[in-house]
Amino acid sequence: NYAVHNCTAYSTCSASELQEGTRLVPEYQFALIKEIAGGDVDSFGADLRSAVASLKKVGAINEADRPDGFKMGEKDQSFLRRIGNWPEDLKVKALYHAKGSYMAVVGPYDHFSNIQASIWLFREERKVPIFGILWGWPPEQSIIKEPADGDFGHAIYSMGWKVIDGETYLIVPNSWGTQNGDKGYYYLSRAVVNKYVTMYGAFMFTDMTKEEYLARLKPTILERILYVMAKILGIQMQIITIQESLAPVPHPRKSRIEEW
């Protein structure tokens, strides 16, 4: 149920993880998304544009930076979706996984083919499209041939395509676990993708340049100094150096920022 309500966080984190080469924290991401979207924090879901904007405006935190106990099953969802309940210094660490911006997936073809072309064009950078659909099929149905009258919006991403019985489908790793679909994967037809991308749109992330990262890093260092000073003055006795708070967490594939 958490993955259904917070699909925007799972889809954006998963798409970013392919580029970053590490696990990100969807619970924290959803709190950021709710902060950016505004309105009722306890309302169902969030809009896709606010979701992709959260990676651009703030970033995302590495699983290694997750505070103890801040996960579903250990804290209530109502608590986790409020950004004020998360440690403020996480926004400094989130910059390490921020995006330069995001762009709409458009082109000279229909939505299905535009998404295919974008996956192919940016395959070396491992950029993938994030888009929305109106879900109306049983969770065990992995091949989605026709649009359905769904009762809730769902954010997903596609990592490629597959030919099944002569028809091409987009491959979608869903956020509902391997017990659903085809071991967690779903296959969406051209008719399904074209209908719902027309309604909700599709987006891809663009990376920060080295200059953008360094420019954004300067004010966060000042914020971090002020944060540590406040802790020393008695709010909470905890000292974390700027170097430690910004240090990358080792992972198999280096991000561009780590290479810099």
Side-chain angles (χ1 to χ4, degrees), residues 19-22 62 95-97 208 210 213 246-260:
Q19 294 177 275
E20 301 293 317
T22 190
N62 192 289
L95 176 61
Y96 185 77
H97 299 292
M208 285 189 293
K210 182 177 181 180
Y213 174 66
L246 297 176
V249 177
H251 47 71
R253 187 178 94 82
K254 288 185 177 180
S255 72
R256 291 185 178 183
I257 293 176
E258 187 174 356
E259 290 173 353
W260 296 337

Side-chain angles (χ1 to χ4, degrees), residues 17-54:
E17 285 171 354
L18 294 175
Q19 294 177 275
E20 301 293 317
T22 190
R23 294 295 300 275
L24 303 175
V25 179
E27 294 96 328
Y28 180 73
Q29 206 64 40
F30 193 65
L32 286 177
I33 294 169
K34 278 295 188 181
E35 180 185 40
I36 290 171
D40 182 10
V41 176
D42 292 310
S43 62
F44 181 92
D47 67 283
L48 191 57
R49 187 173 290 273
S50 294
V52 293
S54 71

